Amino acid sequence: MNARSRRLRFFSLALAVLGLCMVLLCGCRPAEEKADSSPAELPVIVVGSDNYPPFNYTGSDGQPTGVDVELAQEAFRRLGYRVQFVTINWEEKKTLVENGTIDCAWGSFSMNGREDEYTWAGPYLHSRQVVAVRTSSDIYTLADLADKTLVVQSTTKPEELFLDAAANGLPQLRAVYSLQDRDLIYTTLIKGYADALAAHESAIRQFMKDYSVEYRILAEPLMQADLGVAFAKDRADGLPQRLTETFREMLADGTTREIVSRYLDEPDHYLEGMGGSSDD
């Protein structure tokens, strides 16, 4: 073989090797892009809630916002999911979770007394269930509620407590009005159709702030509530447990406090005893 033939053979071989390298490099690129998947490519978790400021409501941009919305977005992002929020009839939450219409119910949902109804993630915050009255009311204590009327949102913890008042150490009411629409419980009290209302303290204070309404919140709370995320009882993929661990991480690194502080005054009030950092 002469020198020219050897040079041509060498260049042909070099071109072949270069071409192979280009193929290999191109073949690696989709894997790199997949590792850096955009949020739109992540698996979706469907979260069901109703309108319940400051935990979940529609912002001025038309998008879901609130304490629970931001906590859900951050927690599921860390777990490799994208969140889709859907508005549900809160009365139907258990059915919707069980039939798979939604993956979980997340909306200032008290775990207390419901531990065996769902597979829970949490608690991620504390909240107080309280009674509020008009400022002119002669009701100052829970005992003063005897033979009075009270309005609650249906399927909530206050409804459960007052429908079985004697068993829960509460006075017997003349009537308990259970309404599906959360906003209507405030209107019912304002109009004088009920003597008192019961709900999460944070939700009551948010309503007063938003609508410049003044209620008097009784000093004695109904209960201290542990807020959690409810999954179907038979959920077996370990996601609720991983979400609970993520809540602990978010408490420890200050993320939960940062989010809560954007919506609620005195954020440490909702984190007391949770085990996370409360440093500024």
Side-chain angles (χ1 to χ4, degrees):
M1 181 180 296
N2 58 34
R4 181 177 179 182
S5 296
R6 284 197 299 270
R7 286 197 298 272
L8 288 174
R9 185 176 180 183
F10 171 78
F11 287 128
S12 298
L13 181 59
L15 288 173
V17 171
L18 179 61
L20 178 60
C21 290
M22 292 297 293
V23 169
L24 290 174
L25 287 172
C26 292
C28 290
R29 189 173 301 277
E32 292 170 357
E33 292 176 352
K34 186 174 182 180
D36 298 327
S37 297
S38 67
E41 297 173 331
L42 296 174
V44 175
I45 289 290
V46 180
V47 175
S49 188
D50 62 350
N51 182 58
Y52 202 76
F55 294 93
N56 191 319
Y57 60 98
T58 302
S60 58
D61 60 357
Q63 298 300 311
T65 191
V67 177
D68 286 348
V69 171
E70 287 205 36
L71 289 174
Q73 289 171 332
E74 175 60 19
F76 281 124
R77 181 194 66 78
R78 295 187 183 197
L79 289 170
Y81 292 94
R82 175 169 57 93
V83 182
Q84 176 186 346
F85 297 95
V86 297
T87 301
I88 63 171
N89 179 344
W90 195 246
E91 293 182 355
E92 299 175 354
K93 57 188 174 295
K94 189 172 177 58
T95 298
L96 296 174
V97 167
E98 290 178 344
N99 66 21
T101 301
I102 59 176
D103 288 294
C104 59
W106 192 334
S108 189
F109 196 4
S110 301
M111 300 168 62
N112 311 71
R114 301 186 177 105
E115 289 85 355
D116 296 331
E117 295 182 29
Y118 302 91
T119 295
W120 289 95
Y124 62 91
L125 286 179
H126 291 314
S127 180
R128 297 199 317 164
Q129 297 278 9
V130 298
V131 172
V133 297
R134 294 184 298 278
T135 55
S136 59
S137 173
D138 60 357
I139 299 171
Y140 289 91
T141 68
L142 292 179
D144 294 338
L145 289 169
D147 201 36
K148 303 293 187 180
T149 58
L150 178 132
V151 61
V152 296
Q153 185 179 13
S154 56
T155 74
T156 60
K157 199 64 184 180
E159 179 192 52
E160 178 185 326
L161 293 173
F162 279 105
L163 287 180
D164 197 1
N168 292 298
L170 295 169
Q172 191 63 47
L173 302 176
R174 183 164 73 251
V176 177
Y177 303 135
S178 298
L179 306 181
Q180 177 180 320
D181 190 329
R182 168 253 186 194
D183 289 336
L184 288 180
I185 70 173
Y186 300 105
T187 303
T188 300
L189 181 59
I190 291 171
K191 297 293 185 182
Y193 300 143
D195 298 306
L197 67 80
H200 284 288
E201 181 178 12
S202 50
I204 296 172
R205 293 191 182 280
Q206 184 69 40
F207 184 87
M208 290 193 295
K209 179 180 178 181
D210 289 344
Y211 295 96
S212 300
V213 174
E214 191 64 32
Y215 296 127
R216 186 172 73 252
I217 296 175
L218 303 192
E220 182 184 2
L222 288 174
M223 64 175 292
Q224 174 92 349
D226 295 327
L227 304 186
V229 182
F231 292 81
K233 183 67 177 176
D234 60 355
R235 182 112 188 185
D237 63 356
L239 180 58
Q241 293 76 18
R242 297 199 306 275
L243 183 56
T244 297
E245 288 299 321
T246 302
F247 286 150
R248 292 171 182 157
E249 294 171 3
M250 291 170 61
L251 280 166
D253 65 25
T255 302
T256 297
R257 186 184 188 281
E258 180 184 346
I259 291 172
V260 173
S261 67
R262 289 201 281 268
Y263 297 91
L264 295 167
D265 297 330
E266 302 179 20
D268 292 334
H269 173 76
Y270 304 92
L271 301 174
E272 290 176 1
M274 297 294 294
S277 172
S278 62
D279 297 335
D280 288 322

